[in-house]
Amino acid sequence: MSQRALLAPSILSADFGELAEGVRVVDRAGADWIHVDVMDGHFVPNITLGPAVTAAVARVTDLPLDVHLMIEAPERYLEDFADAGASVLTVHQEACPHLHRTIQQIRELGVSPGVALNPATPVESIRDVAADLDLVLIMSVNPGFGGQAFIPRSLERLRRARALLDETGSRARIEVDGGVSPDNAGAVVAAGADVLVAGSAVFRHPDGAAAGVDALRAAAAGAHLRSV
Ligand code: DX5
Ligand code: ZN
């Protein structure tokens, strides 16, 4: 880690009835990106939101929108999410038989391409596209729901992702998503994560979402200080 980790609160855990206010709170608290979880009821069991809500979020913040597509055949919707204001579009390796083409399509839309890996998918499976990516998302839960427990083996997978990016000369950031909290923020940063997604730890913090951002920031920064 050469720079401080970025924080990307996941609006999945926000109150959807007060979504604009939730986004403004984490923006003011110093969040770096807004993480938007898109689920289709096919690739994952849950259904969440689409381009219209993403565009609504874009109207209340200038922060980059980090759109995580947990959907089948994501290539059908890339343009819609780009038009909605996505800065990063992350597709799942498991949903893309023509992953290289899909990454190119994202790049051609002027958006940063990311690839997400489920906990059972080998990190090695993205070696041949690593240099084309701006983001590698290591899922630290099985995707579909917020509030799940962090899978400890994810730390080893983050280390492997870091090694793979170094070996391939990729400048992609590594993002970790699922069960991230102040209890493990230091460990994920030490293992190689550059971007921390957190839903429950931010929006369900007992003292409010701003306190959640502060607590994660402090925990992640502590790891950085220890590692230098
Ligand atoms: C899970 C989503 C995550 C989720 C994280 O499928 O991709 O972004 O919202 O929520 P927490 O931080 O509660 O695990
Ligand atoms: Zn996500």
Side-chain angles (χ1 to χ4, degrees), residues 127 130-133 162-172:
R127 175 175 293 274
D132 303 318
L133 295 174
R162 174 53 61 202
L164 186 144
L165 295 185
D166 290 346
E167 287 162 23
T168 56
S170 172
R171 299 170 60 86

Side-chain angles (χ1 to χ4, degrees), residues 35 37 68 70 177:
H35 187 80
D37 284 310
H68 179 190
M70 287 162 277
D177 184 5

Side-chain angles (χ1 to χ4, degrees), residues 3-226:
Q3 299 171 330
R4 77 182 173 92
L6 303 181
L7 297 185
S10 163
I11 59 169
L12 183 60
S13 301
D15 177 349
F16 277 15
E18 305 284 345
L19 187 53
E21 183 55 19
V23 170
R24 286 191 194 100
V25 166
V26 295
D27 184 332
R28 282 196 297 265
D32 298 288
W33 294 354
I34 301 294
H35 187 80
V36 179
D37 284 310
V38 179
M39 306 186 188
D40 66 352
H42 292 276
F43 182 69
V44 291
N46 200 2
I47 299 175
T48 55
L49 52 85
V53 174
T54 304
V57 172
R59 288 195 289 274
V60 298
T61 183
D62 291 328
L63 293 179
L65 300 189
D66 171 34
V67 177
H68 179 190
L69 297 175
M70 287 162 277
I71 63 177
E72 287 181 359
E75 61 279 0
R76 291 178 298 167
Y77 296 102
L78 297 174
E79 193 168 355
D80 290 347
F81 283 102
D83 290 347
S87 292
V88 181
L89 276 173
T90 297
V91 296
H92 267 261
Q93 186 268 11
E94 305 84 3
C96 296
H98 305 290
L99 184 59
H100 182 268
R101 177 188 295 157
T102 306
I103 292 165
Q104 283 182 314
Q105 287 171 343
I106 296 170
R107 187 74 77 187
E108 283 164 11
L109 289 165
V111 177
S112 289
V115 169
L117 300 175
N118 282 339
T121 302
V123 169
E124 190 64 26
S125 66
I126 55 163
R127 175 175 293 274
D128 291 336
V129 293
D132 303 318
L133 295 174
D134 288 346
L135 188 77
V136 173
L137 191 168
I138 300 296
M139 288 301 309
S140 40
V141 298
N142 287 290
F145 302 95
Q148 302 182 80
F150 181 86
I151 299 172
R153 181 178 285 271
S154 309
L155 292 176
E156 171 57 22
R157 290 169 57 74
L158 289 168
R159 284 190 282 272
R160 257 186 267 149
R162 174 53 61 202
L164 186 144
L165 295 185
D166 290 346
E167 287 162 23
T168 56
S170 172
R171 299 170 60 86
R173 288 185 162 111
I174 298 177
E175 182 172 62
V176 59
D177 184 5
V180 173
S181 75
D183 290 342
N184 56 32
V188 297
V189 171
D194 303 300
V195 187
L196 277 52
V197 176
S200 315
V202 170
F203 288 102
R204 303 287 163 89
H205 191 284
D207 298 325
V213 170
D214 289 348
L216 274 172
R217 178 75 74 204
H224 175 56
L225 292 177
R226 277 197 302 277

